[in-house]
Amino acid sequence: MPHKWGLAVDLDACTGCGACVTACHAENNIPTVGPDQAARGRAMHWIRIERYWEGEFPDVRLRFRPVMCQQCDNAPCEPVCPTYASHHTEEGLNAQVYNRCIGTRYCANACPYNVRFFEFFNPVWEKPLHLQLNPDVSVREVGVMEKCTFCVQRINAGKIQAKAEARELADGDIKPACAQSCPSKALVFGDASDPDSAVSKLRRSSRGAGLLEDLGTRPNVTYFPRHTEA
Amino acid sequence: MARSARFWPVVLLGAAVCALAACERVAPIPQAPSETVFTTAHRTIGDAFNEFFGRRAEPVQPIEFPHDIHIEKGMTCTDSCHEAAVDGPVAGLPSVAMCMTCHEAIATDRPRIKTIAEAYAAKGLDLPWQRVYGFSQSAHVKFNHAPHIRAEVDCATCHGDVAKGTVARRTVDHTMGFCVGCHREKNAPNDCMTCHF
């Protein structure tokens, strides 16, 4: 049975610390673009923390929501791609193939979550920062679209390692950078096709909901809304 | 008269294009790659041209390493020189210390051994081996040796008959067709995400 990767986000646990954002940038060689380009909406964050203020001062509450690619089963970004750069894998990942991408940006326009990013420039790292680039992940060039991959390099590495040790993949073997770095364990990643995995158990809860679910995108990221009054 | 009738519209159009281009320049221009930064951009147009047509310079090795002699003596590729290939993504290149473990005693009078002993090992330098194979950055290929070795793919399938030659040369073209052909034959995964990520 093929794997089906899913992520559960517990908004009760999320403190909005931003460790996931930092870890994601480091893991996936995501360039920073500087304040001028960021002001033009060209900043790239495969995962971002949305902030919501509720109430009137001084009685205000702050809520956080980490948002990454929802790896939709019915992804709006896929049918609009003229080159099949954005396509669905057997394991339910919404894959982006940089080699095929010709930069039409239709996918980013179709995505209701704003989680696809375009390389407007060739990324630049001041030396010696280029030595910290992750060798397991491509460094994308100008003119391609990129987005959260659920750390597919770690998924592949985990599968290769399990096969080398002649065993089945165990729950928790694979952790994307965001889930690994989350200090409050708000992000839980795993195989949703395995009924005993932590993520499957969480997904069975009636509390869980997908982001903008009524659009029919069938996201593979499940959010658990806050139920404590902080 | 006929000449100037054609001449002026062209000049005006040219001026309009230049003016438009000047307006566009309000956006900051990405800085050109320099020695102090790393970028995915090609350094020169020539570099981009060569990569597009797959033209690569032959690597120049520090010594003419004779692969054939070592294989004849009973060594194998993954014995000690490229041992990282067995359980890792990259095969690796041997350090000068690796050479000297045997060549402290064996064939010490040969000119190539003298070179590495005197010019490198004695000075504490390592051999500046040059990579022969490898994918370009824009190929976005992440290759891992280990699963291929476990699947018992012979080294020569992808690297040619290095065992019969002296210095390693690029003899096999690592095109996508070459990879996919074998993956289909062996029922290996063929999804894009297997290699391109």
Side-chain angles (χ1 to χ4, degrees):
Chain A
M1 189 170 172
H3 302 289
K4 173 101 172 74
W5 305 111
L7 188 69
V9 185
D10 186 353
L11 298 180
D12 257 333
C14 178
T15 61
C17 70
C20 51
V21 180
T22 312
C24 180
H25 268 262
E27 171 74 14
N28 292 303
N29 301 336
I30 306 171
T32 47
V33 293
D36 295 342
Q37 295 302 322
R40 290 166 158 254
R42 293 171 179 176
M44 285 179 267
H45 301 291
W46 289 9
I47 182 170
R48 63 171 181 265
I49 302 212
E50 293 183 349
R51 279 189 299 183
Y52 296 95
W53 293 94
E54 286 172 8
E56 289 289 318
F57 183 81
D59 183 26
V60 287
R61 287 196 193 99
L62 181 55
R63 302 191 169 200
F64 300 105
R65 183 164 65 194
V67 179
M68 68 303 288
C69 174
Q70 308 288 305
Q71 312 283 351
C72 311
D73 279 346
N74 187 15
C77 55
E78 286 168 3
V80 295
C81 182
T83 58
Y84 301 102
S86 174
H87 77 285
H88 220 68
T89 71
E90 276 189 5
E91 302 187 347
L93 287 184
N94 182 233
Q96 178 73 11
V97 186
Y98 311 121
N99 309 56
R100 282 178 177 169
C101 181
I102 56 168
T104 64
R105 294 188 264 155
Y106 293 162
C107 55
N109 287 323
C111 174
Y113 304 104
N114 267 335
V115 289
R116 289 181 154 267
F117 304 95
F118 187 65
E119 293 270 3
F120 280 92
F121 303 105
N122 269 313
V124 170
W125 281 272
E126 266 175 51
K127 286 182 182 172
L129 286 178
H130 70 299
L131 297 174
Q132 56 86 50
L133 292 175
N134 185 353
D136 300 334
V137 179
S138 297
V139 181
R140 287 78 55 185
E141 65 278 310
V142 65
V144 299
M145 195 53 91
E146 57 179 62
K147 63 162 203 59
C148 162
T149 60
F150 264 3
C151 283
V152 69
Q153 69 280 5
R154 293 186 178 207
I155 297 176
N156 285 351
K159 285 195 283 193
I160 287 170
Q161 190 58 33
K163 208 171 171 190
E165 292 167 13
R167 60 175 171 86
E168 289 288 308
L169 259 180
D171 189 33
D173 271 0
I174 298 167
K175 268 189 177 171
C178 55
Q180 185 190 23
S181 62
C182 182
S184 57
K185 307 272 182 291
L187 300 158
V188 178
F189 180 82
D191 186 354
S193 72
D194 168 12
D196 298 326
S197 71
V199 75
S200 302
K201 284 176 190 160
L202 282 169
R203 273 162 71 124
R204 279 198 290 274
S205 152
S206 58
R207 240 182 93 216
L211 216 53
L212 301 178
E213 216 169 13
D214 49 342
L215 296 177
T217 52
R218 288 156 59 204
N220 272 311
V221 180
T222 316
Y223 286 87
F224 293 89
R226 293 192 74 135
H227 62 179
T228 55
E229 293 301 316
Chain B
M1 184 64 203
R3 183 166 170 259
S4 69
R6 249 181 307 162
F7 180 68
W8 283 108
V10 171
V11 168
L12 285 173
L13 195 70
V17 168
C18 289
L20 270 174
C23 293
E24 283 290 304
R25 284 291 156 89
V26 176
I29 306 156
Q31 47 181 305
S34 71
E35 284 306 315
T36 55
V37 298
F38 165 82
T39 170
T40 51
H42 293 286
R43 270 183 198 285
T44 59
I45 292 178
D47 281 357
F49 191 81
N50 284 338
E51 201 203 301
F52 186 78
F53 289 102
R55 294 199 311 208
R56 293 166 66 177
E58 273 294 334
V60 181
Q61 304 294 354
I63 60 155
E64 286 187 348
F65 178 82
H67 280 88
D68 48 356
I69 295 175
H70 290 81
I71 298 289
E72 273 167 29
K73 303 282 180 206
M75 292 176 76
T76 62
C77 308
T78 54
D79 253 358
S80 44
C81 301
H82 307 296
E83 63 183 350
V86 177
D87 49 18
V90 291
L93 295 163
S95 68
V96 72
M98 184 61 75
C99 305
M100 297 315 286
T101 42
C102 296
H103 286 295
E104 288 284 6
I106 302 169
T108 47
D109 55 331
R110 308 287 162 83
R112 281 188 294 235
I113 307 295
K114 277 187 178 161
T115 312
I116 60 166
E118 287 157 21
Y120 295 102
K123 290 182 189 163
L125 296 173
D126 225 325
L127 288 157
W129 297 119
Q130 301 296 308
R131 272 188 86 166
V132 178
Y133 287 94
F135 295 99
S136 74
Q137 187 163 253
S138 60
H140 299 297
V141 173
K142 297 292 160 200
F143 179 80
N144 192 334
H145 274 94
H148 295 87
I149 289 188
R150 277 197 293 278
E152 290 172 354
V153 180
D154 196 40
C155 300
T157 313
C158 305
H159 293 293
D161 226 342
V162 179
K164 294 215 175 74
T166 52
V167 183
R169 301 209 184 283
R170 246 190 325 271
T171 50
V172 182
D173 215 2
H174 291 171
T175 60
M176 194 165 118
F178 175 76
C179 298
V180 170
C182 199
H183 270 232
R184 285 212 179 115
E185 235 172 71
K186 301 203 172 219
N187 254 335
N190 251 335
D191 187 83
C192 306
M193 286 290 114
T194 312
C195 310
H196 299 285
F197 48 83

